[in-house]
Amino acid sequence: MNNETLYDIAIIGGGIGGLTLAIQMAKQHYKVILFEKERYPFHKVCGEYISLESKDFLESLGLPIQQMNLPVIKKLNVTSPDGTILKANLPLGGIGISRYKIDNDLKNIAIQAGVTILENCKAEEAVLLNEIFNIQTTSGEFKSRICCGSFGKRSNLDIKWKRSFINRSNNKLNNFVGFKYHIQTNFAIDTIALHNFKNGYCGISKIEDDKYCLCCLSSISNLKESNNSFEQMEKNILSRNPFLKDIFENSTKLFKQPVTISHISFNQKTQVENNILLFGDAAGMITPLCGNGMSMAMHAGKIAAGFISAFLQGKISRQQMEKNYTVEWNKTFGKRLRTGRTIQRFFGKIWVTNLFVKAMKLSPSFTRLLIRQTHGESF
């Protein structure tokens, strides 16, 4: 590879947001390079539920959703620590698919579209100089006219750039650890459940093959209280919810150890940093209680693609591109994120969560409103 190649767009992070943006731009005949610090396929902490608002978009990129025989999820169960259960319908619904599969499938589509993908390649810095980005990576230096970041919840670049959410003191929005298993169990194929426990919650839903995703979010204090043992935390804290106790006692874990991530923050973030357009969790993370993080990442990439293309064609300036993207991102997702952060504050203390779930159960119209506020429309 000739590192002197000038790319039109460089993308840091090869998750679902980065890959779908790369495919869009390559299909418009731009030179695209993508850096991913892992090697495909790989697991990552994720609820692995994709709202059907993304279905048409994914199929337009070449992913044959209709033919993949994926579980369609139309129902939602929410339980409180004391075992109260709320049941609701999801008007639009979603599909279940693991990141291990969908990210790898999208990677193959991207390569076929002409994207240069560097795996096991970590971006260490990206600086705009004389209208060209110089991107330092573990595989060398690369140059690009545009640089985008879709590098997840917390990265080395976030820390290097000293982004505001990194230095926030611990609060109800930023002191979490996430962990995930794939399991085999007996659970409804068409339902996603969110089971609450002290200072956290755990989601379960069907994915491809004979597997379910069990993804949990917990305050770091729970893990510390459990001697930093996920197994001990599951037994002593999560299993106080009778529904979770049943899952742990009557399921087979397909991972020896959970996939984990720490220092998760739902605090407000910027959408442009150092002239780099950000999307996915790097731009703003919706709480897992509200779902739809993957759909938001893809939708943001679609929004970005339009402004990036206009810039590369000389129709707008870089400043206009950055401003337009920020405005459109907040117009599209700002309300959903605010709603998500508000709902998040009702979950944590056991008595508050018990009361909130009971209140939602008594008011189906309020529950439907919350679901609408945290979901988007087809894009």
Side-chain angles (χ1 to χ4, degrees):
M1 179 177 297
N2 178 10
N3 286 11
E4 293 304 313
T5 299
L6 176 61
Y7 291 90
D8 294 308
I9 177 169
I11 301 170
I12 302 172
I16 198 165
L19 287 165
T20 52
L21 175 62
I23 294 167
Q24 291 175 84
M25 301 311 295
K27 287 191 171 187
Q28 295 181 55
H29 308 293
Y30 292 112
K31 288 183 180 179
V32 183
I33 187 168
L34 181 147
F35 309 106
E36 170 52 52
K37 62 184 178 65
E38 306 289 348
R39 178 168 291 280
Y40 297 98
F42 59 93
H43 295 286
K44 61 172 59 178
V45 176
C46 179
E48 300 184 328
Y49 163 91
I50 301 179
S51 168
L52 283 173
E53 67 193 74
S54 308
K55 178 177 175 289
D56 292 344
F57 173 70
L58 282 168
E59 289 188 329
S60 75
L61 298 182
L63 193 69
I65 296 292
Q66 198 69 37
Q67 287 78 47
M68 293 173 72
N69 195 31
L70 298 170
V72 177
I73 298 165
K74 285 286 190 179
K75 298 177 182 178
L76 168 69
N77 291 350
V78 180
T79 72
S80 61
D82 67 2
T84 301
I85 182 168
L86 163 75
K87 296 185 177 182
N89 292 322
L90 295 171
L92 189 59
I95 54 173
I97 183 171
S98 71
R99 296 298 299 272
Y100 189 88
K101 176 170 177 55
I102 192 171
D103 287 7
N104 194 57
D105 287 352
L106 288 170
K107 178 209 76 169
N108 292 331
I109 292 172
I111 290 173
Q112 291 171 6
V115 178
T116 298
I117 295 181
L118 298 187
E119 301 176 60
N120 286 339
C121 178
K122 187 175 184 179
E124 298 176 324
E125 185 57 288
V127 177
L128 181 65
L129 184 64
N130 297 325
E131 287 300 298
I132 299 295
F133 279 98
N134 291 280
I135 305 163
Q136 299 287 342
T137 78
T138 52
S139 297
E141 181 177 310
F142 299 85
K143 298 182 185 298
S144 180
R145 297 175 63 193
I146 292 286
C147 186
C148 291
S150 183
F151 37 71
K153 302 169 182 64
R154 181 186 177 97
S155 80
N156 62 309
L157 292 177
D158 291 320
I159 297 169
K160 176 169 282 191
W161 296 339
K162 298 179 180 179
R163 297 183 70 191
S164 59
F165 74 92
I166 292 290
N167 298 316
R168 293 284 293 272
S169 57
N170 291 344
N171 57 48
K172 284 190 175 183
L173 294 175
N174 69 358
N175 196 28
F176 294 96
V177 59
F179 58 104
K180 182 190 83 173
Y181 295 100
H182 284 169
I183 63 174
Q184 290 178 327
T185 192
N186 182 24
F187 185 71
I189 294 174
D190 65 348
T191 301
I192 183 168
L194 291 167
H195 301 301
N196 289 273
F197 53 89
K198 183 186 74 171
N199 296 322
Y201 43 86
C202 196
I204 180 172
S205 57
K206 182 78 167 60
I207 53 174
E208 73 274 5
D209 303 325
D210 186 27
K211 297 181 292 188
Y212 288 79
C213 173
L214 183 70
C215 191
C216 304
L217 185 80
S218 169
S219 68
I220 292 177
S221 61
N222 279 341
L223 190 58
K224 291 180 178 177
E225 183 182 323
S226 305
N227 298 315
N228 292 319
S229 166
F230 287 99
E231 186 175 357
Q232 188 174 326
M233 184 168 68
E234 292 160 13
K235 181 179 179 181
N236 296 335
I237 297 177
L238 277 69
S239 291
R240 293 175 190 170
N241 181 313
F243 292 93
L244 282 175
K245 182 179 180 181
D246 181 70
I247 290 172
F248 287 119
E249 289 181 349
N250 297 289
S251 303
T252 300
K253 292 177 180 175
L254 302 179
F255 299 162
K256 290 183 179 179
Q257 297 293 331
V259 183
T260 65
I261 185 171
S262 60
H263 301 294
I264 297 173
S265 173
F266 302 105
N267 286 131
Q268 200 165 355
K269 299 179 181 179
T270 54
Q271 289 71 59
V272 178
E273 196 80 36
N274 296 340
N275 303 106
I276 296 172
L277 273 61
L278 305 173
F279 48 102
D281 290 337
M285 184 177 173
I286 194 167
T287 61
L289 272 167
C290 302
N292 262 353
M294 286 191 283
S295 290
M296 285 176 54
M298 290 185 279
H299 194 174
K302 185 176 181 180
I303 292 170
F307 295 125
I308 291 169
S309 183
F311 168 76
L312 292 173
Q313 294 173 30
K315 296 178 180 178
I316 58 175
S317 67
R318 186 180 299 276
Q319 185 178 19
Q320 288 173 314
M321 174 185 66
E322 294 173 5
K323 180 180 178 180
N324 292 349
Y325 172 66
T326 300
V327 169
E328 191 63 26
W329 192 98
N330 281 283
K331 178 181 175 182
T332 306
F333 306 117
K335 189 174 183 179
R336 290 161 72 170
L337 289 168
R338 288 191 297 273
T339 301
R341 286 193 289 268
T342 300
I343 294 173
Q344 179 77 18
R345 290 185 173 93
F346 285 97
F347 292 86
K349 289 185 178 180
I350 291 176
W351 73 269
V352 175
T353 305
N354 288 337
L355 184 63
F356 188 64
V357 173
K358 286 183 173 71
M360 290 175 66
K361 189 173 181 178
L362 292 172
S363 180
S365 59
F366 177 61
T367 300
R368 288 192 295 270
L369 175 64
L370 289 181
I371 291 172
R372 285 198 303 271
Q373 292 293 324
T374 56
H375 286 65
E377 299 178 353
S378 296
F379 58 89

